[in-house]
Amino acid sequence: MRTRHINKNLFTLLILGILLSGCSAQRDFLSDNFSKAKATHQRIAILPFDVQFENPVNRNPDTRTQRFFSQQEREASLDTQKELFAYAAKQVEKGRYELAFQDFTKTNSILASSGIRLEDIGRHDKAQLARILGVDAVIWGQLQVVISRQNRYSMMPSYMGNDGVEANVNLYDAATGELLWKTNMKQRPNNRMDTPHHLTSQLIAQVAKHLPYRTK
């Protein structure tokens, strides 16, 4: 009986270790002015993310591969924005956030009509973007996807130590332009079913639960 009890404890610790190894987060930055700014925030817009794909196995891709990744990165930028909006909206429905997230289609429509290109969002002043969008704050982030598998059709993909997805997510105040909060989160593959899209979706779901507006 004692042996079974010990084995059960070891099994529980092993499962916990696997779960913790999958997703990790560094210590968040929170501005001293966040509480004051938070009281004025009623509507937030999520901007398209800056997404970068990296394949350490193929450091010198040909032009065709570069075009593919450029298009893939563009699509992933919009997909990440869409998923974060959807996951954040679910948190609002559950009563965990008492504010509104502007529909991503409205955000992108306003950006396009204002002549702001997707690839230029990272260089724009975030307070100015927030004012153009008519919101109190904006969320913008950078997502890096590292893939080392040489054959994406392989049934037994081999992952390297840096494989996975990493997101740096930032919250900017519309009134002052101040960076109020930022977090860094990572998601690492644990099995062959962990595709880049699956890992990204898992990570964005965690980001949505991790925003600094949570009430419960």
Side-chain angles (χ1 to χ4, degrees), residues 8-176:
K8 184 178 180 180
N9 288 340
L10 289 174
F11 178 76
T12 301
L13 289 173
L14 177 62
I15 294 298
L16 180 61
I18 292 173
L19 291 174
L20 291 176
S21 66
C23 183
S24 61
Q26 296 179 2
R27 186 179 180 88
D28 291 356
F29 162 79
L30 193 67
S31 167
D32 293 338
N33 298 320
F34 176 74
S35 295
K36 181 179 179 180
K38 177 184 176 181
T40 69
H41 292 179
Q42 296 182 358
R43 181 175 293 273
I44 296 175
I46 300 171
L47 299 170
F49 276 40
D50 179 11
V51 178
Q52 179 182 1
F53 284 85
E54 181 180 348
N55 187 343
V57 175
N58 188 10
R59 290 291 187 180
N60 298 302
D62 57 28
T63 303
R64 181 180 178 183
T65 303
Q66 289 177 337
R67 285 200 301 269
F68 169 74
F69 275 111
S70 177
Q71 179 62 26
Q72 191 179 41
E73 287 166 354
R74 181 180 181 85
E75 293 174 356
S77 172
L78 296 172
D79 285 345
T80 302
Q81 175 201 28
K82 179 181 178 180
E83 287 202 339
L84 182 53
F85 167 77
Y87 284 127
K90 287 183 180 179
Q91 296 300 308
V92 173
E93 290 177 3
K94 294 177 180 179
R96 293 170 182 167
Y97 297 140
E98 295 179 353
L99 44 78
F101 290 89
Q102 181 167 278
D103 189 282
F104 69 96
T105 57
K106 180 177 181 179
T107 294
N108 293 345
S109 176
I110 295 174
L111 292 175
S113 63
S114 300
I116 299 171
R117 301 187 306 168
L118 180 66
E119 54 268 34
D120 294 333
I121 290 176
R123 293 189 289 271
H124 269 276
D125 178 81
K126 302 304 182 294
Q128 182 184 20
L129 291 180
R131 290 191 289 271
I132 290 173
L133 294 170
V135 295
D136 304 306
V138 293
I139 294 173
W140 176 76
Q142 297 168 300
L143 182 74
Q144 183 181 41
V145 182
V146 181
I147 312 167
S148 299
R149 292 175 291 169
Q150 296 189 43
N151 181 5
R152 63 191 179 99
Y153 299 104
S154 173
M155 293 299 294
M156 294 297 292
S158 56
Y159 293 107
M160 295 177 64
N162 291 330
D163 274 19
V165 295
E166 179 175 354
N168 292 296
V169 186
N170 309 277
L171 173 72
Y172 297 91
D173 184 54
T176 64

Side-chain angles (χ1 to χ4, degrees), residues 25-30 169 181-185 210-212:
Q26 296 179 2
R27 186 179 180 88
D28 291 356
F29 162 79
L30 193 67
V169 186
W181 169 84
K182 67 177 179 179
T183 190
N184 175 274
M185 302 184 74
H210 194 63
L211 299 177

